[in-house]
Amino acid sequence: MTQTLDELGPVDWLVVEFPGLDFGKGQIAPFLEDLINRELIRVLDMTFLRKNADGALEMAEISDLDESELGGVRMAEADLAMVLSEQDVMDLAETIEPGHSAAVVVWENQWAAPFGSAVRKAGGQLVASGRIPTQAVIAAFEADEADAGSSEATKEGV
């Protein structure tokens, strides 16, 4: 790592599942590359999983896959630190449906590193963190819009 640990930003991970065994046909690669090029994130680990129809698992690193399977994702390979253990990957593979593929990505949020460093230098420490799934936020907005629409309809009917 070229930066000190004190300058490290928050680290997140996710598992993105795709129907079929082709990792989304490389369609996410340009967006990942954009985040890296703008130095918003730094990919620390990336693993690709395939679970065939009978549930057998195949794991692959970037170097194991053909460019046609990944699109431009290969450009992230140089920064990989291999954060996840084999057991971590096996545990995450449990979330994948048979007949699907998935990308497991661990990244540093470089955009938040200066804030995190300032918190640590001031003696602060992270005591809680979380993430609200996008689907939950969308559902909340849709529910609010539906409530607002029914309130307007009630006012007009009064």
Side-chain angles (χ1 to χ4, degrees):
M1 291 181 75
T2 57
Q3 65 191 73
T4 67
L5 290 178
D6 187 50
E7 296 171 340
L8 187 68
V11 175
D12 287 323
W13 63 272
L14 58 73
V15 178
V16 181
E17 181 181 59
F18 303 98
L21 301 176
D22 62 6
F23 306 114
K25 301 174 185 167
Q27 294 177 355
I28 64 169
F31 298 97
L32 182 61
E33 184 175 18
D34 178 58
L35 294 171
I36 292 166
N37 289 341
R38 291 190 293 144
E39 297 183 353
L40 296 173
I41 68 166
R42 181 167 55 120
V43 175
L44 300 177
D45 202 348
M46 186 179 293
T47 302
F48 299 90
L49 307 170
R50 286 186 176 118
K51 195 178 277 189
N52 66 25
D54 68 1
L57 181 67
E58 176 187 333
M59 294 189 297
E61 300 294 331
I62 290 176
S63 59
D64 299 328
L65 299 174
D66 184 85
E67 181 81 19
S68 66
E69 295 177 285
L70 302 177
V73 170
R74 194 171 299 282
M75 56 67 207
E77 188 172 21
D79 288 339
L80 299 181
M82 303 311 206
V83 176
L84 298 173
S85 71
E86 187 174 337
Q87 186 60 54
D88 292 333
V89 174
M90 295 301 291
D91 291 344
L92 293 171
E94 293 295 319
T95 65
I96 302 165
E97 294 292 324
H100 289 203
S101 59
V104 179
V105 184
V106 179
W107 71 91
E108 173 196 4
N109 291 289
Q110 289 180 296
W111 59 268
F115 174 74
S117 182
V119 166
R120 288 186 293 277
K121 287 177 181 174
Q125 64 181 356
L126 181 65
V127 294
S129 180
R131 176 147 306 183
I132 300 171
T134 304
Q135 295 88 336
V137 174
I138 291 169
F141 279 119
E142 289 173 346
D144 285 347
E145 288 175 4
D147 286 347
S150 66
S151 294
E152 288 298 317
T154 303
K155 287 180 185 176
E156 291 174 8
V158 175

Short mmCIF file of all heavy atoms in Angstrom, two decimals, residues 3-11 108-127:
data_model
loop_
_atom_site.label_atom_id
_atom_site.label_comp_id
_atom_site.label_asym_id
_atom_site.label_seq_id
_atom_site.Cartn_x
_atom_site.Cartn_y
_atom_site.Cartn_z
N GLN A 3 -0.04 4.30 0.67
CA GLN A 3 -0.37 5.28 1.69
C GLN A 3 -0.30 4.62 3.06
O GLN A 3 -0.33 3.41 3.18
CB GLN A 3 -1.76 5.86 1.45
CG GLN A 3 -2.88 4.83 1.57
CD GLN A 3 -4.20 5.36 1.06
OE1 GLN A 3 -4.36 5.48 -0.12
NE2 GLN A 3 -5.11 5.63 1.94
N THR A 4 -0.17 5.42 4.10
CA THR A 4 -0.10 4.84 5.44
C THR A 4 -1.50 4.39 5.86
O THR A 4 -2.51 4.87 5.35
CB THR A 4 0.44 5.86 6.46
OG1 THR A 4 -0.53 6.91 6.60
CG2 THR A 4 1.78 6.42 6.04
N LEU A 5 -1.54 3.49 6.81
CA LEU A 5 -2.83 3.00 7.30
C LEU A 5 -3.66 4.11 7.92
O LEU A 5 -4.88 4.06 7.89
CB LEU A 5 -2.62 1.86 8.30
CG LEU A 5 -2.10 0.56 7.70
CD1 LEU A 5 -1.89 -0.48 8.80
CD2 LEU A 5 -3.04 0.03 6.65
N ASP A 6 -2.99 5.13 8.47
CA ASP A 6 -3.72 6.25 9.07
C ASP A 6 -4.51 7.03 8.03
O ASP A 6 -5.47 7.70 8.36
CB ASP A 6 -2.76 7.18 9.81
CG ASP A 6 -3.50 8.25 10.58
OD1 ASP A 6 -4.43 7.90 11.33
OD2 ASP A 6 -3.16 9.44 10.41
N GLU A 7 -4.12 6.94 6.78
CA GLU A 7 -4.78 7.67 5.71
C GLU A 7 -5.81 6.82 4.97
O GLU A 7 -6.42 7.28 4.02
CB GLU A 7 -3.75 8.18 4.71
CG GLU A 7 -2.79 9.18 5.32
CD GLU A 7 -1.64 9.51 4.40
OE1 GLU A 7 -1.35 8.74 3.46
OE2 GLU A 7 -1.00 10.54 4.63
N LEU A 8 -6.01 5.59 5.41
CA LEU A 8 -6.95 4.67 4.77
C LEU A 8 -8.39 5.14 4.98
O LEU A 8 -8.78 5.53 6.07
CB LEU A 8 -6.77 3.27 5.35
CG LEU A 8 -7.53 2.14 4.70
CD1 LEU A 8 -6.99 1.87 3.31
CD2 LEU A 8 -7.40 0.88 5.55
N GLY A 9 -9.17 5.10 3.91
CA GLY A 9 -10.59 5.43 4.00
C GLY A 9 -11.39 4.22 4.42
O GLY A 9 -10.87 3.11 4.52
N PRO A 10 -12.69 4.40 4.67
CA PRO A 10 -13.55 3.27 5.03
C PRO A 10 -13.53 2.22 3.92
O PRO A 10 -13.42 2.54 2.74
CB PRO A 10 -14.94 3.90 5.14
CG PRO A 10 -14.72 5.36 5.27
CD PRO A 10 -13.42 5.66 4.60
N VAL A 11 -13.63 0.96 4.33
CA VAL A 11 -13.60 -0.15 3.38
C VAL A 11 -14.96 -0.83 3.38
O VAL A 11 -15.52 -1.14 4.43
CB VAL A 11 -12.48 -1.15 3.76
CG1 VAL A 11 -12.52 -2.38 2.85
CG2 VAL A 11 -11.12 -0.46 3.69
N GLU A 108 -11.82 0.50 -0.99
CA GLU A 108 -11.60 1.60 -0.06
C GLU A 108 -12.31 2.82 -0.62
O GLU A 108 -12.21 3.12 -1.81
CB GLU A 108 -10.11 1.91 0.06
CG GLU A 108 -9.85 3.17 0.88
CD GLU A 108 -8.46 3.74 0.72
OE1 GLU A 108 -7.66 3.22 -0.09
OE2 GLU A 108 -8.17 4.74 1.41
N ASN A 109 -13.02 3.52 0.23
CA ASN A 109 -13.68 4.78 -0.15
C ASN A 109 -12.65 5.90 0.00
O ASN A 109 -12.56 6.54 1.04
CB ASN A 109 -14.89 5.03 0.75
CG ASN A 109 -16.00 4.05 0.47
OD1 ASN A 109 -16.63 4.12 -0.57
ND2 ASN A 109 -16.22 3.12 1.38
N GLN A 110 -11.88 6.12 -1.05
CA GLN A 110 -10.82 7.12 -0.99
C GLN A 110 -11.37 8.52 -0.73
O GLN A 110 -10.70 9.33 -0.09
CB GLN A 110 -10.02 7.11 -2.29
CG GLN A 110 -9.14 5.88 -2.42
CD GLN A 110 -8.35 5.90 -3.69
OE1 GLN A 110 -8.93 5.86 -4.78
NE2 GLN A 110 -7.03 5.97 -3.59
N TRP A 111 -12.56 8.82 -1.20
CA TRP A 111 -13.14 10.14 -1.01
C TRP A 111 -13.34 10.46 0.47
O TRP A 111 -13.35 11.62 0.86
CB TRP A 111 -14.48 10.25 -1.75
CG TRP A 111 -15.48 9.21 -1.30
CD1 TRP A 111 -15.68 7.97 -1.83
CD2 TRP A 111 -16.40 9.32 -0.21
NE1 TRP A 111 -16.66 7.29 -1.14
CE2 TRP A 111 -17.13 8.10 -0.14
CE3 TRP A 111 -16.68 10.32 0.72
CZ2 TRP A 111 -18.10 7.86 0.82
CZ3 TRP A 111 -17.67 10.08 1.67
CH2 TRP A 111 -18.35 8.86 1.71
N ALA A 112 -13.48 9.43 1.32
CA ALA A 112 -13.73 9.64 2.75
C ALA A 112 -12.46 9.54 3.60
O ALA A 112 -12.50 9.76 4.80
CB ALA A 112 -14.76 8.63 3.25
N ALA A 113 -11.33 9.21 2.97
CA ALA A 113 -10.09 9.02 3.72
C ALA A 113 -9.68 10.25 4.54
O ALA A 113 -9.32 10.11 5.71
CB ALA A 113 -8.97 8.57 2.79
N PRO A 114 -9.71 11.47 3.98
CA PRO A 114 -9.30 12.63 4.79
C PRO A 114 -10.17 12.82 6.03
O PRO A 114 -9.67 13.15 7.11
CB PRO A 114 -9.44 13.81 3.83
CG PRO A 114 -9.31 13.20 2.47
CD PRO A 114 -9.96 11.85 2.59
N PHE A 115 -11.47 12.60 5.89
CA PHE A 115 -12.36 12.72 7.05
C PHE A 115 -12.03 11.65 8.09
O PHE A 115 -11.93 11.95 9.28
CB PHE A 115 -13.83 12.60 6.60
CG PHE A 115 -14.79 12.58 7.75
CD1 PHE A 115 -15.08 13.73 8.46
CD2 PHE A 115 -15.40 11.40 8.15
CE1 PHE A 115 -15.95 13.73 9.53
CE2 PHE A 115 -16.28 11.37 9.22
CZ PHE A 115 -16.56 12.55 9.91
N GLY A 116 -11.86 10.41 7.64
CA GLY A 116 -11.53 9.32 8.57
C GLY A 116 -10.23 9.57 9.29
O GLY A 116 -10.10 9.34 10.49
N SER A 117 -9.23 10.06 8.57
CA SER A 117 -7.94 10.36 9.17
C SER A 117 -8.08 11.46 10.22
O SER A 117 -7.52 11.37 11.32
CB SER A 117 -6.96 10.79 8.09
OG SER A 117 -5.69 11.05 8.64
N ALA A 118 -8.85 12.51 9.91
CA ALA A 118 -9.07 13.60 10.87
C ALA A 118 -9.77 13.10 12.12
O ALA A 118 -9.42 13.50 13.24
CB ALA A 118 -9.88 14.72 10.21
N VAL A 119 -10.76 12.21 11.95
CA VAL A 119 -11.46 11.65 13.11
C VAL A 119 -10.48 10.89 13.99
O VAL A 119 -10.46 11.06 15.22
CB VAL A 119 -12.63 10.73 12.65
CG1 VAL A 119 -13.16 9.88 13.80
CG2 VAL A 119 -13.75 11.55 12.04
N ARG A 120 -9.65 10.04 13.39
CA ARG A 120 -8.69 9.25 14.16
C ARG A 120 -7.67 10.15 14.86
O ARG A 120 -7.34 9.94 16.02
CB ARG A 120 -7.99 8.23 13.25
CG ARG A 120 -8.91 7.09 12.83
CD ARG A 120 -8.18 6.00 12.06
NE ARG A 120 -7.70 6.43 10.75
CZ ARG A 120 -8.45 6.45 9.64
NH1 ARG A 120 -9.71 6.07 9.69
NH2 ARG A 120 -7.92 6.84 8.50
N LYS A 121 -7.18 11.18 14.16
CA LYS A 121 -6.20 12.09 14.76
C LYS A 121 -6.80 12.88 15.92
O LYS A 121 -6.10 13.28 16.83
CB LYS A 121 -5.62 13.03 13.71
CG LYS A 121 -4.68 12.32 12.77
CD LYS A 121 -4.18 13.23 11.68
CE LYS A 121 -3.26 12.44 10.75
NZ LYS A 121 -2.86 13.22 9.58
N ALA A 122 -8.12 13.10 15.89
CA ALA A 122 -8.80 13.81 16.97
C ALA A 122 -9.18 12.87 18.11
O ALA A 122 -9.82 13.29 19.07
CB ALA A 122 -10.05 14.51 16.43
N GLY A 123 -8.81 11.61 18.01
CA GLY A 123 -9.10 10.64 19.07
C GLY A 123 -10.44 9.94 18.89
O GLY A 123 -10.86 9.17 19.75
N GLY A 124 -11.13 10.19 17.79
CA GLY A 124 -12.42 9.54 17.56
C GLY A 124 -12.25 8.14 17.00
O GLY A 124 -11.20 7.77 16.50
N GLN A 125 -13.31 7.38 17.13
CA GLN A 125 -13.32 6.03 16.58
C GLN A 125 -14.72 5.69 16.11
O GLN A 125 -15.70 6.17 16.68
CB GLN A 125 -12.82 5.01 17.57
CG GLN A 125 -13.69 4.85 18.80
CD GLN A 125 -13.13 3.83 19.76
OE1 GLN A 125 -12.15 3.17 19.50
NE2 GLN A 125 -13.77 3.70 20.91
N LEU A 126 -14.79 4.87 15.11
CA LEU A 126 -16.07 4.43 14.58
C LEU A 126 -16.70 3.46 15.57
O LEU A 126 -16.07 2.49 15.99
CB LEU A 126 -15.87 3.72 13.23
CG LEU A 126 -17.12 3.21 12.54
CD1 LEU A 126 -18.02 4.37 12.15
CD2 LEU A 126 -16.74 2.40 11.32
N VAL A 127 -17.93 3.75 15.99
CA VAL A 127 -18.62 2.87 16.94
C VAL A 127 -19.86 2.22 16.33
O VAL A 127 -20.41 1.29 16.89
CB VAL A 127 -18.98 3.60 18.26
CG1 VAL A 127 -17.72 3.99 19.01
CG2 VAL A 127 -19.86 4.80 17.99
#
